[in-house]
C-alpha cells in the first residue's frame, strides 16, 4: 500500500506542472528563466533587443498530441484558445526547430499613447525587423515556460486564426495567479492593446544576417 501511495504521488507530480502550487515549486527548483517584464527601453532595431527565450517547435506529431501534452501537465486552456487549437488553420511543424523569442511592448516600439491597435503594433514591429510567430509558439511556450511570474500575460504576435463563427483570435500565455493558462483574445486588426502589454515576436534570422553583412562591409579600423 505504501508503494502504491508513493507511485501515485510521483505520477501526480509528473502530471501536474501548471497548477498554482506547481508553479511555486517550479520557481524553487527550475533554473530561473528571465521574465519578459524587462524595463521599457525604446527600440531602434531588432538587433537592439536581446533574445528573451529560445523554445523548440515541431516536437509533436499533430495538434491533438500538443493539446494532450497541455492536458497532461495540467495547463489550463481557455475556451477560445481550445477552439483555435482545434481549427484546421492551426498546424504544428513537421521537424524540430529552435526559435528565438523577444518580448516588447508598444511603448518600446515608440508608441506614445495608452493603447495601440494590433495592426499598428505588428506593422511597426515588422519594420524594426521582428517576425510574427507561428501559432504553435503559443502552446509550446506555455509548455516550456513553467516558472512564469504571477500576473504576467504575454500576447503572442501571430496571424489570427478564426473561430468556427469567424471571430479572429490570437493567443496569450498567462499566469493569472490560479495556475498557468493559455487563453485567446481579440485578434482583429483594430483591437486595442494596452501600450505596456508585452507582445512576443520571433527574432528574424534574416535581420541578423543583414546586420552581419553590414558589419563585414565596414572598412577596417
Amino acid at each position: 500500500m505504501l508503494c502504491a501511495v508513493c507511485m501515485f504521488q510521483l505520477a501526480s507530480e509528473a502530471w501536474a506542472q501548471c497548477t498554482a502550487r506547481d508553479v511555486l515549486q517550479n520557481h524553487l527548483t527550475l533554473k530561473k528563466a528571465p521574465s519578459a517584464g524587462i524595463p521599457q527601453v525604446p527600440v531602434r532595431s531588432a538587433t537592439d533587443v536581446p533574445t528573451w527565450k529560445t523554445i523548440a517547435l515541431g516536437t509533436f506529431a499533430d495538434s491533438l498530441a500538443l493539446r494532450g501534452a497541455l492536458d497532461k501537465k495540467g495547463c489550463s486552456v481557455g475556451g477560445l484558445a481550445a477552439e483555435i487549437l482545434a481549427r484546421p488553420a492551426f498546424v504544428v511543424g513537421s521537424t524540430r526547430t529552435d526559435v528565438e523569442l523577444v518580448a516588447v511592448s508598444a511603448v518600446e516600439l515608440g508608441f506614445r499613447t495608452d493603447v495601440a491597435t494590433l495592426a499598428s503594433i505588428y506593422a511597426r514591429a515588422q519594420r524594426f525587423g521582428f517576425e510574427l510567430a507561428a501559432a504553435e509558439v503559443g502552446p509550446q511556450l506555455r509548455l516550456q515556460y513553467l516558472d512564469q511570474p504571477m500576473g504576467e500575460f504575454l500576447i503572442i504576435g501571430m496571424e489570427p486564426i478564426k473561430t468556427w463563427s469567424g471571430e479572429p483570435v490570437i493567443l496569450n500565455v498567462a499566469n493569472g495567479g490560479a495556475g498557468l493558462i493559455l487563453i485567446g483574445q481579440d485578434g482583429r486588426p483594430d483591437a486595442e492593446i494596452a501600450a505596456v502589454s508585452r507582445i512576443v515576436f520571433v527574432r528574424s534570422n534574416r535581420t541578423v544576417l543583414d546586420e552581419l553583412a553590414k558589419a563585414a562591409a565596414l572598412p577596417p579600423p
Side-chain angles (χ1 to χ4, degrees):
M1 183 177 293
L2 179 60
C3 291
V5 171
C6 292
M7 290 178 65
F8 175 78
Q9 290 177 336
L10 289 173
S12 298
E13 291 174 1
W15 180 83
Q17 297 184 46
C18 288
T19 65
R21 183 192 67 179
D22 292 305
V23 174
L24 176 61
Q25 185 64 32
N26 292 336
H27 278 282
L28 298 175
T29 59
L30 295 178
K31 182 179 180 180
K32 178 64 178 175
S35 169
I38 56 177
Q40 310 254 336
V41 179
V43 174
R44 294 173 298 175
S45 167
T47 55
D48 294 339
V49 182
T51 297
W52 164 61
K53 192 174 182 64
T54 300
I55 66 170
L57 304 182
T59 58
F60 293 95
D62 50 38
S63 60
L64 186 62
L66 178 53
R67 175 59 198 269
L70 289 166
D71 291 340
K72 184 175 181 181
K73 285 188 180 293
C75 298
S76 298
V77 179
L80 284 176
E83 187 170 346
I84 290 307
L85 266 60
R87 294 288 285 147
F90 181 88
V91 296
V92 299
S94 58
T95 58
R96 180 189 168 105
T97 305
D98 291 335
V99 295
E100 296 181 9
L101 304 180
V102 297
V104 295
S105 68
V107 170
E108 290 171 283
L109 294 175
F111 290 89
R112 295 293 178 262
T113 53
D114 292 335
V115 297
T117 65
L118 187 64
S120 63
I121 292 173
Y122 281 5
R124 189 166 298 184
Q126 290 174 309
R127 189 160 68 244
F128 281 135
F130 300 113
E131 290 184 350
L132 295 185
E136 184 187 354
V137 165
Q140 286 280 19
L141 180 58
R142 178 65 292 153
L143 287 171
Q144 299 174 50
Y145 189 25
L146 297 176
D147 56 346
Q148 182 177 20
M150 185 184 301
E152 184 178 76
F153 290 75
L154 298 176
I155 300 168
I156 304 301
M158 55 178 279
E159 290 287 353
I161 294 178
K162 291 183 178 180
T163 63
W164 294 106
S165 62
E167 179 183 358
V169 171
I170 58 176
L171 297 173
N172 191 311
V173 174
N175 180 358
L180 304 182
I181 188 170
L182 180 70
I183 58 178
Q185 68 177 68
D186 189 353
R188 293 175 300 166
D190 60 352
E192 293 188 338
I193 306 297
V196 295
S197 296
R198 307 201 70 79
I199 304 99
V200 174
F201 294 103
V202 171
R203 180 177 299 287
S204 169
N205 290 330
R206 183 181 65 255
T207 300
V208 175
L209 291 175
D210 288 345
E211 291 297 325
L212 290 175
K214 290 178 183 177
L218 292 175

